[in-house]
């Protein structure tokens, strides 16, 4: 198949699958999601994404309608039906189907929605990102991967209209993350990144890069940094499951980074190696 859309056991082409009007995801964005990619049918970092899905579900009191083994089997079976070497795998679970009312029935069963689409090659040594800064006006539960992404959508659009790739959020002086990725800096050989509290999503790529730093004697400092520190950093790095790890070259039209290319190359080499290793089984 050229793609797959799946909803609660039924599947077909994304363009053809229909979902009910009373799915709470539609009128409240009342749900959670995950996204990763596969290469040669092997889904990258699935365990990490499932751990985060379970954490999001527990924080929002959402009943997942499957066991861990069942969701792995569903994702792997659907993934094998789509004809492409590299695929983007997105899945969300909404609280369930019910008439629109803020209060929910605790017994309600979650709705599982999956899309799998062909995706471009994830590894890219040449890419450098142009960023803009945007005040972070999101709510204070950014650690939960919810469907409620309006500020992220607006910031992303603003970046696109400025001819840029991503929007970096800051609360006052403090850089939190970006509209759909985490942001880190390298200064004097130290990898500095916002701690995993309620102001950022605990990114899976962030976690992998921290492991890689530690294995390669690069000091990691999980302390928030300021916009000024970011502008003056040796490198500004953006991580996500779809981009892996990419350096920034410009923020708000001012040139940034480019002063520790060897560290960037090492992190990219090691992350790409991890992806190769885990998708070549
Ligand atoms: N922060 C936000 C707000 C995101 O939406 C994402 C990814 O979608 C990330 C960070 C990066 O997370 P991950 O590395 O798990 O893709």
């Amino acid at each position: 198949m050229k793609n797959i859309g799946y909803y609660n056991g039924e599947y077909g082409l994304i363009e053809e699958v229909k979902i009910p009007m009373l799915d709470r995801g539609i009128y409240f964005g009342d749900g959670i999601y995950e996204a990763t990619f596969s290469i040669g049918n092997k889904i990258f970092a699935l365990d990490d994404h499932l751990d985060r899905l379970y954490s999001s579900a527990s924080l929002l009191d959402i009943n997942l309608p499957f066991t861990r083994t069942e969701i792995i089997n569903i994702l792997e079976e659907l993934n094998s039906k789509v004809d492409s070497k590299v695929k983007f795998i997105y899945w969300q679970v909404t609280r369930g189907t019910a008439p629109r009312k803020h209060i929910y029935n605790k017994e309600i069963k979650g709705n599982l929605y999956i899309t799998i689409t062909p995706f471009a090659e994830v590894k890219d040594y040449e890419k450098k990102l142009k960023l803009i800064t945007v005040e972070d006006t999101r709510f204070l539960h950014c650690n939960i991967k919810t469907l409620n992404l309006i500020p992220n959508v607006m910031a992303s659009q603003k970046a696109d209209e400025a001819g840029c790739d991503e929007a970096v959020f800051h609360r006052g002086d403090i850089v939190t993350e970006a509209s759909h990725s985490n942001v880190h800096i390298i200064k004097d050989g130290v990898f500095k990144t916002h701690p995993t509290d309620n102001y950022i999503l605990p990114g899976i790529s962030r976690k992998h890069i921290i492991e890689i730093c530690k294995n390669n004697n690069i000091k990691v400092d999980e302390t928030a940094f300021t916009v000024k520190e970011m502008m003056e950093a040796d490198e500004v790095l953006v991580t996500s499951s779809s981009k892996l790890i990419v350096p920034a070259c410009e923020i708000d039209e001012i040139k940034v980074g480019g002063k520790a290319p060897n560290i960037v190359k090492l992190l990219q080499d090691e992350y790409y190696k991890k992806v190769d290793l885990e998708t070549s089984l």
Side-chain angles (χ1 to χ4, degrees):
M1 294 173 73
K2 65 172 183 167
N3 65 44
I4 272 192
Y6 167 103
Y7 187 79
N8 286 348
E10 305 284 318
Y11 70 86
L13 291 176
I14 291 174
E15 297 79 4
E16 288 163 9
V17 176
K18 300 223 169 9
I19 66 170
M21 277 186 82
L22 292 182
D23 184 317
R24 285 179 65 99
I26 290 177
Y27 53 80
F28 283 140
D30 189 359
I32 55 179
Y33 74 104
E34 280 300 327
T36 184
F37 61 88
S38 70
I39 303 180
N41 285 342
K42 185 86 180 78
I43 303 174
F44 181 63
L46 185 53
D47 267 339
D48 288 319
H49 286 276
L50 289 178
D51 287 348
R52 189 170 60 188
L53 185 81
Y54 275 83
S55 159
S56 298
S58 146
L59 289 163
L60 292 185
D61 194 22
I62 286 177
N63 278 331
L64 295 177
F66 44 70
T67 65
R68 197 165 169 119
T69 311
E70 281 166 351
I71 182 68
I72 292 172
N73 290 342
I74 293 169
L75 289 170
E76 286 181 345
E77 195 194 324
L78 293 175
N79 192 37
S80 69
K81 294 182 192 301
V82 177
D83 314 313
S84 176
K85 181 172 175 246
V86 187
K87 287 168 266 191
F88 190 71
I89 302 170
Y90 171 93
W91 67 108
Q92 67 179 44
V93 184
T94 64
R95 192 178 301 281
T97 307
R100 187 183 181 283
K101 193 175 171 210
H102 288 62
I103 297 160
Y104 56 88
N105 174 350
K106 283 194 172 270
E107 305 311 315
I108 194 174
K109 201 165 144 244
N111 292 322
L112 175 61
Y113 166 121
I114 303 170
T115 57
I116 302 179
T117 45
F119 196 48
E121 177 56 69
V122 278
K123 297 172 237 154
D124 189 344
Y125 283 105
E126 301 306 318
K127 200 168 170 60
K128 303 239 183 315
L129 300 179
K130 291 185 180 175
L131 312 175
I132 58 164
T133 54
V134 173
E135 182 68 40
D136 193 344
T137 57
R138 298 174 301 161
F139 71 171
L140 301 179
H141 306 279
C142 301
N143 52 320
I144 308 173
K145 201 162 168 70
T146 82
L147 299 177
N148 297 119
L149 290 171
I150 291 299
N152 309 56
V153 166
M154 300 312 287
S156 206
Q157 180 70 18
K158 201 170 168 191
D160 189 65
E161 286 176 11
C164 292
D165 306 286
E166 243 299 26
V168 178
F169 284 130
H170 56 93
R171 285 189 193 268
D173 285 349
I174 298 294
V175 174
T176 50
E177 56 179 338
S179 75
H180 51 292
S181 29
N182 291 111
V183 178
H184 329 274
I185 56 171
I186 295 172
K187 185 71 182 174
D188 299 331
V190 177
F191 179 88
K192 199 164 178 185
T193 186
H194 197 288
T196 47
D197 54 18
N198 59 317
Y199 293 111
I200 68 159
L201 184 79
I204 305 300
S205 304
R206 175 190 178 282
K207 178 186 156 195
H208 293 158
I209 292 296
I210 287 177
E211 282 163 8
I212 289 170
C213 285
K214 291 184 174 166
N215 291 339
N216 288 276
N217 297 321
I218 297 170
K219 193 166 171 258
V220 174
D221 179 4
E222 293 188 61
T223 310
F225 53 85
T226 63
V227 174
K228 184 167 182 286
E229 277 180 274
M230 175 173 73
M231 301 307 288
E232 293 169 356
D234 295 337
E235 297 287 349
V236 178
L237 297 168
V238 177
T239 61
S240 75
S241 297
S242 54
K243 292 188 272 300
L244 298 180
I245 175 162
V246 189
C249 58
E250 202 181 289
I251 303 178
D252 293 337
E253 297 186 354
I254 298 167
K255 296 239 166 303
V256 296
K259 296 187 207 99
N262 294 347
I263 299 182
V264 177
K265 172 87 168 45
L266 184 149
L267 296 177
Q268 287 183 319
D269 279 347
E270 292 301 309
Y271 203 12
Y272 294 173
K273 246 193 261 167
K274 178 179 170 70
V275 170
D276 282 346
L277 196 69
E278 293 182 20
T279 55
S280 65
L281 305 174

